[in-house]
Amino acid sequence: MSPVLLLPGAPVTLALRALTAAPRGRRGPREVLLGVLHSRAARVLASPFFNLPLFLVSLYGLYYMPIFDAAMSNWAGHTLMLVHFLAVGLIFFWPILGVDPGPHRVSHPIRLAELFVGVPFHAVFGIAVMMSSTLIAGYFAHPPSAWGVSPLQDQSTGGGIAWAFTEVPTALVLAVVFLDWWRSDQRLARRTDRAADRDDDAKLAEYNAHLQNLARRSPRDR
């Protein structure tokens, strides 16, 4: 959820506007950031052939590996895991939302397709956790008795939340993508209108002339 709320704020765009350009011949923070955005690594990160598998491995791989249990047993590991999931979420949703500049922009239908490809996997993960008959993290097997918590029931509740909560960030992303799509169409319409005003709608006149030419030739063809 956090990446979906952070990315619409366009943090990269804000950084580019806030950072001043370095003197000629030097590289400052702004130039470094631009270099990173146009690097090969950024193109790889923005590719669905990389970020979607990374997203899936983070869910199905880390949660069901011993490293997850080890990470949950101490504060540093828990924090590192949270940072990892935040980074993976930012990488996955960055090209889909398309608010910040990136190495390449894909069309809005492709961005929606990338979003919907990942949604079922997240929902299935939540169901798998909810239906699991064993604890994923053994560290939570013995909570304080005063809490009155059943670890397995608590895990099932968490899986149910993960399953049901999938729709919330998806709806927010859809709203952002559709709004950007509408604004893009509006900008294109304005550019088309301005071009038509400059050339006195030459394209329309050319198209009408083409239709008249076809109409004149039609009787002879028959």
Side-chain angles (χ1 to χ4, degrees), residues 197-212:
D197 292 339
R198 288 194 301 268
D199 58 18
D200 199 21
D201 223 346
K203 289 185 177 181
L204 180 59
E206 181 181 353
Y207 179 69
N208 289 334
H210 175 66
L211 293 179
Q212 292 174 1

Side-chain angles (χ1 to χ4, degrees), residues 38-118:
H38 294 90
S39 66
R40 181 176 298 179
R43 289 195 295 271
V44 172
L45 291 176
S47 170
F49 297 104
F50 174 82
N51 56 42
L52 181 58
L54 178 64
F55 176 75
L56 297 179
V57 168
S58 296
L59 282 179
Y60 293 92
L62 291 180
Y63 269 96
Y64 289 98
M65 291 175 60
I67 189 175
F68 179 73
D69 200 356
M72 293 298 99
S73 64
N74 60 86
W75 178 86
H78 193 182
T79 302
L80 184 61
M81 192 67 67
L82 292 177
V83 171
H84 167 78
F85 282 114
L86 175 61
V88 170
L90 291 172
I91 291 172
F92 178 73
F93 287 109
W94 169 40
I96 294 176
L97 289 170
V99 177
D100 274 323
H104 57 81
R105 279 189 175 273
V106 296
S107 64
H108 292 89
I110 297 298
R111 286 157 58 182
L112 292 176
E114 292 180 19
L115 172 65
F116 283 114
V117 165

